[in-house]
Amino acid sequence: MSTTGGLRIGCAGWGLSAAHAAHFPRDGTHLERYARRFAAVEINSSFYRPHMPRTYAKWASLVPDDFLFAVKFPRAATHDARLRDADAVIERFVSEVSALGDRLGPVLVQLPPSLAFDADVADAFFAALRERVATPIVCEPRHVTWFAPELDAFWQRHEVGRVAADPARVPLAAQPGGAGRVRYWRLHGSPHVYYDAYGEARLQPWADAVRAEREAGLDCWVILDNTALGHAVADAMRLETMLGVEAPR
């Protein structure tokens, strides 16, 4: 299972292609089979539509005790409302994901590329979210204004980690930052986003970065999002090997 001393490696979603089926147990649902091989998954469907609490509760019931779900925050607040007047979306989201119980890991907030940093708006949103969420919060900003050094105090104030992403829209976006104990990488596949595989050579710099953060005592999550052709599973397993994670027997 993909966890070793604060390291969790997984995929965006638990889809299993026929090409990789042999690496997973034969019995159970896709989620049950996935969760006996990896220790974490990122739920992306929550970005597009709400899920009933009973759905989250069902998912939580299907995974081992040490498995965690990262959940992507709804685009209704991040992209449609652009972080303004988000209290109703936050309340609904939290009421839903709370059904995961202690299987809830980081809440992921991905921002649209066109959204520049506005101190008042960002402070109000993340203060409201932090008030209602006890688990780690990580943010994937994509506008250059979110990477200014003077934002260090902002991330600290709300205890929010800044996601490292590939492809990176600005150079600093390739490096994790922000605050809190979690460092979070989202590897989307590049240059063809969602489609291209990484392979060992292209994963090596990411493995080195993860290793350095672990040595600094931080908890590390790495999510492979190059799922369109099934490469995420192979790259996640490859990264496990590179970082010394033992596959389950």
Side-chain angles (χ1 to χ4, degrees):
M1 189 172 280
S2 308
T3 177
T4 299
L7 170 64
R8 291 180 183 270
I9 299 170
C11 304
W14 51 81
L16 304 178
S17 68
H20 304 299
H23 297 286
F24 296 86
R26 292 184 179 182
D27 61 306
T29 67
H30 276 208
L31 175 56
E32 288 174 300
R33 295 166 63 204
Y34 173 98
R36 295 202 294 271
R37 180 61 179 78
F38 293 114
V41 73
E42 184 183 276
I43 298 174
N44 279 186
S45 55
S46 52
F47 178 70
Y48 299 101
R49 62 186 185 277
H51 297 301
M52 297 293 291
R54 64 174 178 266
T55 299
Y56 284 110
K58 177 65 174 179
W59 289 339
S61 74
L62 295 177
V63 301
D65 290 346
D66 58 352
F67 187 91
L68 291 179
F69 295 85
V71 188
K72 194 172 181 180
F73 191 81
R75 66 171 295 146
T78 57
H79 289 54
D80 299 340
R82 300 175 72 81
L83 302 185
R84 297 177 183 273
D85 302 319
D87 283 357
V89 178
I90 292 173
E91 289 289 356
R92 178 172 182 171
F93 174 78
V94 171
S95 71
E96 293 162 354
V97 301
S98 294
L100 287 171
D102 60 6
R103 303 296 183 273
L104 177 60
V107 169
L108 166 68
V109 179
Q110 185 191 57
L111 302 180
S114 62
L115 184 62
F117 178 76
D118 180 303
D120 292 339
V121 173
D123 267 319
F125 172 81
F126 281 102
L129 185 60
R130 172 49 71 203
E131 183 179 356
R132 295 164 177 84
V133 173
T135 57
I137 298 172
V138 295
C139 178
E140 183 181 358
R142 292 182 286 175
H143 192 279
V144 65
T145 55
W146 289 83
F147 298 91
E150 55 266 29
L151 263 66
D152 288 351
F154 165 80
W155 300 117
Q156 291 286 345
R157 184 161 58 252
H158 301 294
E159 199 177 350
V160 172
R162 196 189 70 224
V163 170
D166 181 66
R169 290 178 177 266
V170 300
L172 279 176
Q175 303 172 23
R181 289 196 51 79
V182 170
R183 292 292 179 265
Y184 199 104
W185 286 259
R186 301 187 80 219
L187 306 183
H188 300 291
S190 63
H192 194 185
V193 175
Y194 308 130
Y195 285 86
D196 281 347
Y198 283 95
E200 184 169 351
R202 296 182 63 215
L203 283 173
Q204 190 62 59
W206 301 110
D208 293 342
V210 172
R211 190 176 293 109
E213 296 290 354
R214 288 184 66 206
E215 290 174 354
L218 295 167
D219 296 333
C220 295
W221 280 63
V222 187
I223 296 296
L224 279 299
D225 191 25
N226 51 339
T227 56
L229 297 178
H231 294 308
V233 166
D235 279 331
M237 291 190 295
R238 186 174 289 112
L239 189 60
E240 285 181 328
T241 301
M242 296 169 71
L243 289 168
V245 177
E246 293 185 5
R249 292 188 292 273

